[in-house]
Amino acid sequence: MKTKIEKLKNYLDLLSKDTGWHIIIEDFYSVLRPYEIIGEYLSDKKWHTNPYCMKIKKNPRLWKRCVALKRATRRSERKRGCAGFSVCYCGVAEYTIPIFISGVHIGTVCAAGFFSPLSRKMTEILAKHTESGVEEFEKFRQAHLREADEATVSRLKSYLGVVADMIIDIVGNTPLMRPTSNKNAPDNRRKYFLMAMDHIDKHCCENITPLSVAKRVNVSLSYLQHLFIEFSSDGIAGAIRRKRIERACRYLIETDRSIKDIAFSCGFYNTDYFSVAFKKSTGTSPLKFRKLHICDLEPDEGDL
């Protein structure tokens, strides 16, 4: 079994490198999930991580619509029972191959991020919701989605078909049992988010990254990123930066340490970047912040 998993991983790596496709495998029955080697390609839901999709889903209303549409797409795939393109409301096409064993839909192989035309009205709506100009929005969309010509479609059918066959061979006669604990249940999603926030709070001043936080709570980076968007309307990197700024504010008020020393102590290894990030977050420079708040803490003459 391990050899088959390794062959699948090697094929996916080669395929991603050769084509540039963003490939995801949905594993509804957790047949592949126990094998960490394949983890980067697994996703319980098909959350696209290209910049255009992430821009769309930063808006909570659009994010909820993406979730609802994904569920409807999966139901449609089960009924359709064959490979093909599906297109979301924001003009992103994905090529999917549903995987069936003994009539059971055990998962899906997908290559995402292909371009599909949008009506002028929908473009205007999405541009408004993402706080962009219409022309700016359309250029951004075209820059981050790829065209699917006939040659590409032919390759998708062939290459992803091989991936589906390899998975069917791996599953073999493995009993198909739905996991009783669903990582994507609301309580569990919040649990992973809170675990990540707790880790960030305790280690924000260390050399942590979004990837290291995801590894710490044992979920994929893309999955955790979407949890942060869902529960905090902020990314993981933004949460780390915010915690570091909060710690810096405390040091500025409570200590007489230099600005450079505080910046380094809070995980900022470039003082210029620290000053820019601090001003963007608080509206003032670190030095002015210190002077303002120290004055606020000093007693008035009448209190002496």
Side-chain angles (χ1 to χ4, degrees), residues 100-147:
F100 291 88
I101 292 183
S102 300
V104 178
H105 186 200
I106 69 161
T108 303
V109 181
C110 166
F114 294 97
F115 182 88
S116 180
L118 277 179
S119 68
R120 178 71 179 184
K121 183 176 180 180
M122 180 55 74
T123 302
E124 292 173 350
I125 291 172
L126 292 174
K128 180 179 179 180
H129 280 301
T130 55
E131 300 179 350
S132 308
V134 173
E135 300 304 323
E136 173 194 1
F137 176 83
E138 185 60 26
K139 286 181 180 179
F140 185 84
R141 194 171 84 91
Q142 292 183 12
H144 293 286
L145 299 178
R146 61 179 66 208
E147 296 285 350

Side-chain angles (χ1 to χ4, degrees), residues 45-280:
K45 290 184 173 66
K46 200 165 310 312
W47 308 128
H48 300 166
T49 56
N50 70 66
Y52 172 68
C53 289
M54 296 303 292
K55 182 181 182 71
I56 290 290
K57 289 182 286 192
K58 282 184 179 179
N59 181 297
R61 184 178 176 184
L62 299 181
W63 162 250
K64 290 180 180 178
R65 187 169 181 181
C66 283
V67 173
L69 182 63
K70 188 54 60 182
R71 291 171 181 156
T73 300
R74 290 298 156 264
R75 290 194 295 269
S76 176
E77 282 179 358
R78 283 193 289 271
K79 292 180 180 179
R80 186 178 65 200
C82 61
F85 276 99
S86 59
V87 180
C88 78
Y89 70 95
C90 56
V92 179
E94 60 181 17
Y95 188 85
T96 59
I97 296 183
I99 304 173
F100 291 88
I101 292 183
S102 300
V104 178
H105 186 200
I106 69 161
T108 303
V109 181
C110 166
F114 294 97
F115 182 88
S116 180
L118 277 179
S119 68
R120 178 71 179 184
K121 183 176 180 180
M122 180 55 74
T123 302
E124 292 173 350
I125 291 172
L126 292 174
K128 180 179 179 180
H129 280 301
T130 55
E131 300 179 350
S132 308
V134 173
E135 300 304 323
E136 173 194 1
F137 176 83
E138 185 60 26
K139 286 181 180 179
F140 185 84
R141 194 171 84 91
Q142 292 183 12
H144 293 286
L145 299 178
R146 61 179 66 208
E147 296 285 350
D149 54 24
E150 290 186 9
T152 300
V153 174
S154 178
R155 296 174 77 196
L156 285 166
K157 291 179 180 179
S158 175
Y159 296 163
L160 295 190
V162 172
V163 174
D165 289 341
M166 293 176 79
I167 293 172
I168 291 172
D169 183 49
I170 289 170
V171 174
N173 296 320
T174 303
L176 299 176
M177 297 179 64
R178 282 278 190 180
T180 55
S181 175
N182 181 5
K183 186 179 77 172
N184 286 297
D187 289 344
N188 286 331
R189 293 204 311 274
R190 183 171 291 278
K191 179 189 74 173
Y192 285 112
F193 168 71
L194 293 176
M195 287 170 59
M197 284 301 298
D198 181 65
H199 179 68
I200 290 171
D201 187 51
K202 292 177 179 177
H203 303 279
C204 63
C205 295
E206 300 171 17
N207 188 27
I208 61 172
T209 65
L211 180 58
S212 71
V213 175
K215 288 183 177 179
R216 178 69 180 181
V217 298
N218 199 30
V219 296
S220 71
L221 176 58
S222 61
Y223 180 78
L224 187 62
Q225 180 73 7
H226 283 89
L227 293 186
F228 269 72
I229 293 173
E230 179 178 358
F231 291 114
S232 71
S233 298
D234 197 2
I236 307 169
I240 295 172
R241 184 168 55 250
R242 186 174 65 252
K243 284 294 181 181
R244 287 173 173 171
I245 294 294
E246 290 175 2
R247 191 70 57 87
C249 288
R250 197 174 77 196
Y251 289 158
L252 286 166
I253 297 172
E254 298 177 357
T255 75
D256 60 357
R257 295 162 63 180
S258 70
I259 303 297
K260 182 178 181 180
D261 184 33
I262 290 174
F264 282 16
S265 297
C266 294
F268 293 96
Y269 302 111
N270 182 299
T271 52
D272 290 336
Y273 174 69
F274 170 65
S275 296
V276 171
F278 191 93
K279 187 171 184 178
K280 184 176 181 180

